[in-house]
Amino acid sequence: MALRLTEYVLAGELFNTKRNSVHGYIWLRDCDRPIMFQLTGNCLSDLAGHHLRFEARPNPMIEQGALTEEEIDERRIAWMQIGVPGEMTAAKQVRAFDCSIDEFLRRSKLDEQPPTEWRRMLCLEWYGQNGRVVIELVDPLIEIDPDESGPTTLGFFASEQTGGNETTLNEDDLNEGLDLEFSDDVPWPDDEANEFDDDSEDGAILAFEPMPDESDDDPYGLFPKDLEASLETSSSDQPWSDGPDPETLALWERLDALEDHSQDVPLCTLFDPPLKVPPPESLNDEQVVQALNSILMELALHNVALHMCEHFTPRSAYELLVNDILRNEETHPELPHSDMTQNFDTSSYCPECDAEFERRYAERKAQNDSTNGDTLGDFDPDGDVPF
Ligand SMILES: [Zn+2]
Ligand SMILES: [Zn+2]
């Protein structure tokens, strides 16, 4: 059964600005932290290559429910969703009416069926640790490729920008959000001469994407900067004389168990029934995509992800997965019972990513050397001593 989050969604942001990666976050109305996602694959053509901001509008057709953080934890809904995008598009149209379903049915019976009209629907579907997840927002406010330094038309993000002051939208703002046109061009995968392929031959530097990064707790800048400080203060206020509470102890024990790699098993033994892994050379391009996605879905159910850099094709990623990762890498059998994920990345196996990293490192080092002279040399492990 699919996990349907539509009625709880407040707003969110999605990036598919790099091929093979769909990442972002979704705020639910009753939660103080967003659900994040970092998926391997692409949106449909209208969103592929783009950055999307969206905000749900009150919809009389659905009753708004509440889903609290506690309920999310109880239902073991992962806060960081990994896996494979399903249908991700803002180009669907649905018939919508401006009253509740009850009223619609009542008036229909009286032969006064309320008028319906076509509205845009934003579909966000993916297959992650909780299986299929579906969000379908009728007529949301959206911004495509917003100028991130400029003002936003979306009330939710506007109030974020002004530091939490509620901004009320006027009708013009609403219409502006509504009338945003989608370009019909499909930037990739078919169109090779697109703006995302600017990183290779001409030596241009890749733009730094706001990719979630394990070293960064808050890649999207979602939390106030002083939050961490206030958390530290409040936790240091806790009297520890009685020792950690049972919940904390249990968490530590689980973490210890996961750290104990003696229990690790090869990835390929995780699956029951065993995974069907046809050899890559027996599959055509379409079949490779299907085979890759079905393994990534299975892996997601076991809290394991393979992220794909833009240099990999479905075929090369599938080859890496079946010939190397599934055979040689191990995971902890208890991982699915934790909220942790194990993340593999094709960039660790990618000569182009490696060259890119080296080039950027050399550039930054050269820049540091010229601007800061000898001061930064101290921090550079293999930097030359200037004298
Ligand atoms: Zn391990
Ligand atoms: Zn790469």
Side-chain angles (χ1 to χ4, degrees), residues 9-11 52-59 89-90 92 94 119-123 136-143 154 174 177-180 182:
V9 171
L10 189 60
L52 170 78
R53 277 185 193 147
F54 59 91
E55 180 175 348
R57 286 207 255 202
N59 183 347
T89 175
K92 272 200 178 177
V94 288
R119 301 265 176 80
R120 169 189 288 155
M121 184 160 78
L122 172 63
C123 298
E136 291 175 327
L137 299 178
V138 175
D139 204 15
L141 296 164
I142 57 178
E143 287 180 343
L154 304 190
L174 289 173
L178 239 190
D179 292 343
L180 264 175
F182 281 87

Side-chain angles (χ1 to χ4, degrees), residues 242-352:
D242 301 334
D245 59 79
E247 214 172 296
T248 310
L249 264 181
L251 175 69
W252 286 353
E253 272 162 25
R254 285 208 305 277
L255 292 180
D256 275 351
L258 292 173
E259 284 297 304
D260 175 10
H261 293 287
S262 62
Q263 296 181 41
D264 285 1
V265 296
L267 277 176
C268 56
T269 64
L270 273 181
F271 307 99
D272 182 27
L275 266 190
K276 283 206 189 86
V277 182
E281 57 278 10
S282 73
L283 302 174
N284 67 31
D285 286 351
E286 207 173 300
Q287 292 165 330
V288 155
V289 173
Q290 282 171 12
L292 175 66
N293 284 346
S294 66
I295 296 179
L296 292 181
M297 284 178 202
E298 277 299 326
L299 286 174
L301 293 172
H302 291 83
N303 291 24
V304 177
L306 172 67
H307 303 286
M308 259 171 89
C309 67
E310 63 214 306
H311 312 110
F312 269 64
T313 62
R315 180 172 296 279
S316 55
Y318 183 72
E319 284 169 351
L320 174 68
L321 198 55
V322 302
N323 295 336
D324 186 341
I325 293 176
L326 286 180
R327 279 168 207 248
N328 301 324
E329 298 292 345
E330 301 199 323
T331 190
H332 198 287
E334 287 300 308
L335 194 65
H337 306 294
S338 77
D339 55 2
M340 288 190 277
T341 56
Q342 187 173 7
N343 292 272
F344 297 96
D345 198 316
T346 60
S347 64
S348 320
Y349 305 82
C350 176
E352 280 155 292

Side-chain angles (χ1 to χ4, degrees), residues 161-220:
Q161 282 177 352
T162 56
N165 294 329
E166 279 302 316
T167 315
T168 39
L169 287 171
N170 62 37
E171 198 55 35
D172 288 346
D173 292 334
L174 289 173
N175 290 336
E176 203 172 319
L178 239 190
D179 292 343
L180 264 175
E181 297 249 327
F182 281 87
S183 58
D184 288 307
D185 60 325
V186 182
W188 44 262
D190 305 321
D191 182 3
E192 281 305 315
N194 67 63
E195 54 186 306
F196 306 100
D197 281 333
D198 61 355
D199 56 300
S200 44
E201 278 74 40
D202 58 357
I205 302 163
L206 271 178
F208 278 99
E209 296 292 328
M211 271 293 286
D213 168 352
E214 273 146 70
S215 62
D216 188 348
D217 290 337
D218 188 14
Y220 304 107

Side-chain angles (χ1 to χ4, degrees), residues 70-83:
E70 291 72 27
E71 284 167 328
I72 287 178
D73 288 335
E74 274 164 29
R75 292 171 63 179
R76 310 201 64 88
I77 298 171
W79 289 100
M80 172 54 90
Q81 294 274 327
I82 53 162

